[in-house]
Each structure stands twice: as C-alpha cells, then as structure tokens.
Amino acid sequence: GAGVSQSPSNKVTEKGKDVELRCDPISGHTALYWYRQSLGQGLEFLIYFQGNSAPDKSGLPSDRFSAERTGGSVSTLTIQRTQQEDSAVYLCASAGGARAQPQHFGDGTRLSIL
Amino acid sequence: TQLLEQSPQFLSIQEGENLTVYCNSSSVFSSLQWYRQEPGEGPVLLVTVVTGGEVKKLKRLTFQFGDARKDSSLHITAAQPGDTGLYLCAGAANTGNQFYFGTGTSLTVIP
C-alpha cells in the first residue's frame, strides 16, 4: 500500500512477556518516528530515525524499550518484560526527511498488558 | 513536563456553530503542525505553520501561529459533524529531532 503500515493492529499479552511491534514506512521516506498514545491523549515521542544517522533515543521511557530500523526501511519496536503501564497505542510515522516535513502516520498497534 | 497545553480538552457543539481551539506553550518552536485523529486511526496532518504571525486557511478552518512562535489557534467556522475528532497540535523543537504533541482537544459536532 501507499501509506504507513503497522502490525499487529492489536496485541494482548501477559505482564512480563516481550513484544515486538512492526512499522513499514512509506517507500522513500528517510525519517521514521515512534510515539506512544494513551487513551484520548496526546502523543509521547519515543524514538526517531533519520537515514543512516544514529537514532535519537531520548524519548524511550526505560531500558526495556528498544527499536531498530533495518536497511533504512522497516522498523521494529521491542518492549521487554512488559508492564501494565506499557498498555497504550503505539504509533509510527514516516516523513520525507527535513524536520518540518509532514509526518504520515500508521493506524497504530493497540497494546494491552494483562 | 507537558510542553504544549491545549484548551479546551473536550468540546461538544451543535452543527453550524463556530469554535476555537488553543495550543499554548512557554517554549519557542521552529514550526507547528495541527493534526486531526479519528478513533482507531493515526493522526492526519491538517497544516504546518512556520512564520510567527502566520495565518493559514483551509476551507472552514483558520490556523494562526503566534508572533513569538509559542502558541497557535485553530478556528472552525460553521462546524460540521465530519469535523468530529481529536485535534492535536505539535511543535518542532528548535534543536534536535523531537516533535512535542499537545494534550489534544476532543471535538464532537452534534447534527
């Protein structure tokens, strides 16, 4: 498809398990963002990838969170030893490059930790 | 620390009414974006404002960036049920790569 694709759309898991969320950005977009959104709230920045540069990880809330972007395209966000407070919608966005460029969002992964 | 505060948080109005949503901060941003988000979907960009004092119009929506680039407003004229959604402002930091999103305004337009 032409848009940003995220999978799975929903994930329910038990506390303590690891989860992996996937983002497939728009082809050719060099910038990729991960955000977290609690119900009906604004977005919390997690991490930013730009081309081959070192990612900006300043928004990751703890060392249980990590992200990779392979080949400058697909990205995975991994949460280890999940906690109930990790429950949220995780959104991915890609952009053409420069910071002022519009971000194109996927529909998110709704993560529920039991 | 929430850098961008939006008000009101919730707004329910009748079709045809006008409304204004505010996005305020004590920080200066290099640019500011407004998004609309519907349930189960990601935010969709409405506009980007870059210059202090800039005004942009998108049909019935008018966006203004404050002179000091610390605040912004979104005015909707003659609201329609299709305007219902969560409106988010997002400021681009002057340094670094972050976009700081506002707290969101949930708008419901009643037919």
Side-chain angles (χ1 to χ4, degrees):
Chain A
V4 176
S5 177
Q6 291 188 245
S7 61
S9 55
N10 287 282
K11 177 72 176 178
V12 181
T13 192
E14 293 180 346
K15 175 183 171 181
K17 300 287 189 183
D18 297 352
V19 295
E20 196 171 272
L21 312 180
R22 177 187 169 104
C23 173
D24 204 336
I26 292 173
S27 178
H29 278 189
T30 58
L32 188 148
Y33 296 81
W34 281 99
Y35 295 91
R36 179 168 68 175
Q37 184 178 32
S38 299
L39 186 63
Q41 298 296 305
L43 279 62
E44 175 189 4
F45 167 81
L46 296 178
I47 189 169
Y48 166 77
F49 296 90
Q50 172 59 56
N52 295 320
S53 302
D56 178 351
K57 303 180 181 181
S58 59
L60 294 178
S62 78
D63 59 8
R64 297 186 295 105
F65 288 72
S66 62
E68 291 184 340
R69 189 178 184 192
T70 54
S73 181
V74 171
S75 177
T76 55
L77 176 68
T78 302
I79 309 173
Q80 296 178 309
R81 304 181 303 281
T82 52
Q83 303 294 314
Q84 288 187 329
E85 61 263 29
D86 299 334
S87 296
V89 176
Y90 289 81
L91 289 159
C92 173
S94 70
R99 288 195 302 121
Q101 292 295 313
Q103 298 177 64
H104 299 264
F105 283 85
D107 288 339
T109 294
R110 182 175 298 279
L111 177 64
S112 300
I113 309 300
L114 303 178
Chain B
T1 301
Q2 185 65 51
L3 287 183
L4 281 167
E5 295 287 344
Q6 287 185 237
S7 61
Q9 186 176 359
F10 299 97
L11 189 56
S12 181
I13 61 171
Q14 294 290 327
E15 180 177 359
E17 292 183 351
N18 302 331
L19 67 114
T20 302
V21 177
Y22 299 93
C23 174
N24 295 304
S25 177
S26 58
S27 300
V28 176
F29 298 101
S30 61
S31 65
L32 193 137
Q33 299 176 340
W34 283 93
Y35 292 82
R36 186 166 74 94
Q37 184 180 24
E38 299 192 31
E41 299 182 4
V44 175
L45 180 72
L46 297 174
V47 77
T48 300
V49 286
V50 179
T51 306
E54 182 177 1
V55 177
K56 280 192 174 179
K57 292 190 175 183
L58 183 66
K59 297 183 180 178
R60 294 177 294 101
L61 279 60
T62 302
F63 305 85
Q64 184 165 9
F65 201 12
D67 291 341
R69 292 186 287 127
K70 293 182 178 181
D71 52 77
S72 181
S73 63
L74 158 61
H75 182 79
I76 301 178
T77 303
Q80 304 293 313
D83 296 328
T84 293
L86 180 68
Y87 287 82
L88 296 159
C89 62
N94 280 318
T95 58
N97 305 304
Q98 288 196 28
F99 277 86
Y100 296 95
F101 275 80
T103 47
T105 294
S106 180
L107 172 64
T108 301
V109 182
I110 302 167

